[in-house]
């Protein structure tokens, strides 16, 4: 795929460094990561290139993105990005070997651009496929009871709901509840630019 026609997200370019800076101190030198909803693959390529001890498995429910994911990995010369796999978090169980285990399951900007059922799907799948010390890390905007929602996030939420009635920025408390049902606890809430949060869950 020529670089000129390579699907790219401007938001991913903006947020990749803040996310990487927040991820680094959480991660050991080496490990296996599964990314959910990889989209264009910019995060996969950038993080894998910056974390050479990690094997990065991108995935998405949309197979049409796989060529772009591979092309971004080639551009970053990230040989530790595996070919993307088709994974829809609503599938139960996920289409992975039963014993497949990951030290990190990472998902950016998926929960609000997907129906709510994807949240329990993400939590249950992550609980099944995380190693004992593994981390589930999500990134994106969230609504919080005690934190005033930024006007930009309110507008984004209204826009999402207009585009698809089942989409919308999720309440952090609801996400935490689903994590708990799956046996995962919220361990860290890290504020990132543009009113986004990095959430860290583990057993
Ligand atoms: C807004 S994009 C985010 C892409 C990338 N993670 C980023 O932050 O730039 C949301 C992605 O989630 C994927 N997605 C939506 N619903 C999904 C599901 N049920 N299972 C897996 N992926 C899903 C979409 O195909 C899309 O690639």
């Amino acid at each position: 795929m020529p670089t000129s026609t390579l699907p790219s997200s401007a938001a991913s370019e903006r947020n990749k460094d803040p996310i990487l800076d927040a991820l680094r101190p959480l991660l050991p030198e080496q490990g296996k990561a599964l990314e959910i909803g990889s989209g264009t693959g910019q995060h996969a390529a950038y993080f894998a290139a910056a974390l050479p001890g990690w094997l990065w498995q991108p995935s998405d429910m949309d197979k049409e993105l796989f060529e772009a994911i591979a092309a971004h990995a080639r551009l970053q010369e990230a040989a530790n990005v595996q070919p993307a796999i088709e994974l829809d978090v609503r599938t139960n169980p996920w289409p992975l070997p039963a014993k497949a285990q990951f030290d990190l399951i990472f998902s950016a900007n998926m929960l609000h651009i997907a129906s709510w059922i994807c949240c329990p799907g993400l939590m249950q799948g992550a609980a099944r496929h995380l190693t004992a010390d593994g981390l589930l890390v999500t990134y994106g905007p969230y609504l919080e009871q005690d934190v005033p929602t930024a006007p930009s996030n309110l507008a984004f939420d209204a826009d999402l709901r207009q585009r698809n009635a089942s989409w919308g920025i999720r309440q952090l408390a609801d996400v935490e509840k689903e994590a708990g049902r799956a046996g995962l606890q919220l361990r860290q809430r890290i504020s990132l630019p543009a009113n986004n949060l990095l959430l860290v869950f583990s057993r």
Side-chain angles (χ1 to χ4, degrees):
M1 183 178 281
T3 314
S4 56
T5 58
L6 186 56
S8 286
S9 138
S12 293
E13 286 308 302
R14 280 196 302 274
N15 61 35
K16 65 186 185 182
D17 277 313
I19 296 175
L20 181 61
D21 290 346
L23 276 178
R24 269 189 199 282
L26 302 171
L27 303 180
E29 279 297 301
Q30 297 186 343
K32 279 175 66 182
L34 170 66
E35 183 179 3
I36 301 295
S38 294
T40 58
Q42 286 155 271
H43 284 153
Y46 194 68
F47 300 160
L51 302 166
W54 281 72
L55 191 60
W56 201 275
Q57 176 63 70
S59 76
D60 205 284
M61 70 170 189
D62 183 357
K63 280 165 67 173
E64 291 193 1
L65 294 161
F66 291 4
E67 210 183 322
I69 294 172
H72 276 289
R74 277 195 303 276
L75 264 182
Q76 293 283 342
E77 299 183 3
N80 50 339
V81 176
Q82 305 271 90
I85 56 170
E86 191 177 356
L87 194 160
D88 183 326
V89 287
R90 295 169 296 186
T91 316
N92 187 10
W94 286 356
L96 295 171
K99 290 192 173 160
Q101 297 277 281
F102 298 90
D103 306 286
L104 169 69
I105 296 182
F106 173 76
S107 184
N109 293 318
M110 193 266 298
L111 287 175
H112 56 282
I113 309 187
S115 57
W116 172 250
I117 193 77
C118 291
C119 183
L122 176 66
M123 295 304 168
Q124 287 159 25
R128 188 174 295 119
H129 290 288
L130 277 177
T131 57
D133 300 329
L135 302 178
L136 166 67
V137 176
T138 68
Y139 166 85
Y142 296 87
L143 304 176
E144 295 176 279
Q145 293 289 349
D146 303 330
V147 181
T149 307
S152 57
N153 274 355
L154 284 176
F156 183 39
D157 184 50
D159 177 60
L160 287 169
R161 289 176 194 279
Q162 199 177 23
R163 282 157 64 192
N164 185 320
S166 74
W167 293 1
I169 300 184
R170 306 303 173 193
Q171 291 281 349
L172 176 49
D174 294 341
V175 174
E176 215 178 330
K177 209 177 290 171
E178 284 306 330
R181 287 200 179 109
L184 299 174
Q185 310 300 321
L186 178 63
R187 305 291 181 192
Q188 282 193 65
R189 169 203 176 281
I190 302 171
S191 292
L192 289 188
N195 305 299
N196 288 293
L197 297 179
L198 192 91
L199 302 179
V200 184
F201 301 87
S202 67
R203 293 186 201 288

